[in-house]
Amino acid sequence: DAGITQSPRHKVTETGTPVTLRCHQTENHRYMYWYRQDPGHGLRLIHYSYGVKDTDKGEVSDGYSVSRSKTEDFLLTLESATSSQTSVYFCAISEGTGGVEAFFGQGTRLTVV
Amino acid sequence: GQQVMQIPQYQHVQEGEDFTTYCNSSTTLSNIQWYKQRPGGHPVFLIQLVKSGEVKKQKRLTFQFGEAKKNSSLHITATQTTDVGTYFCAGIPGRRALTFGSGTRLQVQP
């Protein structure tokens, strides 16, 4: 497996609290992605990064922010968690785009109560 | 909404039966990828198709890319219990980021 680590792996938090999920890679890949997975919706792109400090929104970015200050780390922040953000979050990395496979982390199961 | 759609959303087959999932994009794709996610696991890359009309095989799995490069299919011949999981197609429909379809969950009855 590619060197991708997500932390934490599980988290329960209360509505209204801020939450940060971390994705760390040791592959020096340029692209990093955050997806959420919910039943019936597959994998939906939240935000992605194409370089240090270069990020862009995905299809479900509302309520989320990201930061990438180093090649190896991509942080996803829920500024004020809501129950609708209960989900499994996957980080992925790829060397490039347009025909390069993506490698996924193990996922973070987040529950907002 | 999602620009890459998959059908069916779920399929339950008897072991030994065939299975097919279809992927459709609203825009032309430069290439399409397929991933498999085992229950409780993370998506894992299976294959990539690039050329119009391309067909690739991996043992019992056959992947096709449509002539217009807007649709694709994955066919599994004689399913086995090890085929259980969710199959996703993925492409880059206009964005610079990999966009996944909604997935097809396959259940195989022994």
Side-chain angles (χ1 to χ4, degrees), chain A residues 1 9 30-31 33 35 37 39-45 48 50 56-59 90 97-107, chain B residues 1-3 9 30-31 33 35 37 40-46 48 50 86 88 90-92 95-103:
Chain A
D1 283 348
R9 293 292 313 280
R30 180 183 175 193
Y31 282 76
Y33 313 83
Y35 295 90
Q37 185 171 31
H41 292 279
L43 292 158
R44 291 183 292 174
L45 181 65
Y48 68 101
Y50 45 97
D56 201 355
K57 296 179 179 180
E59 60 184 306
F90 284 100
T97 187
V100 181
E101 71 177 277
F103 299 92
F104 281 79
Q106 300 297 315
Chain B
Q2 284 181 298
Q3 295 175 277
Q9 193 172 103
S30 57
N31 61 78
Q33 298 177 358
Y35 292 75
Q37 182 180 26
H42 59 279
V44 175
F45 176 83
L46 291 176
Q48 176 176 276
V50 179
T86 301
F88 293 98
I92 306 179
R95 281 189 166 274
R96 287 192 290 170
L98 197 58
T99 300
F100 284 78
S102 45

Side-chain angles (χ1 to χ4, degrees), chain A residues 22-67:
Chain A
R22 181 185 185 228
C23 179
H24 178 79
Q25 62 148 327
T26 57
E27 305 295 324
N28 200 36
H29 283 356
R30 180 183 175 193
Y31 282 76
M32 298 186 77
Y33 313 83
W34 278 108
Y35 295 90
R36 61 177 289 175
Q37 185 171 31
D38 306 288
H41 292 279
L43 292 158
R44 291 183 292 174
L45 181 65
I46 304 172
H47 283 279
Y48 68 101
S49 170
Y50 45 97
V52 173
K53 297 187 179 179
D54 291 323
T55 64
D56 201 355
K57 296 179 179 180
E59 60 184 306
V60 290
S61 59
D62 287 349
Y64 302 94
S65 62
V66 290
S67 67

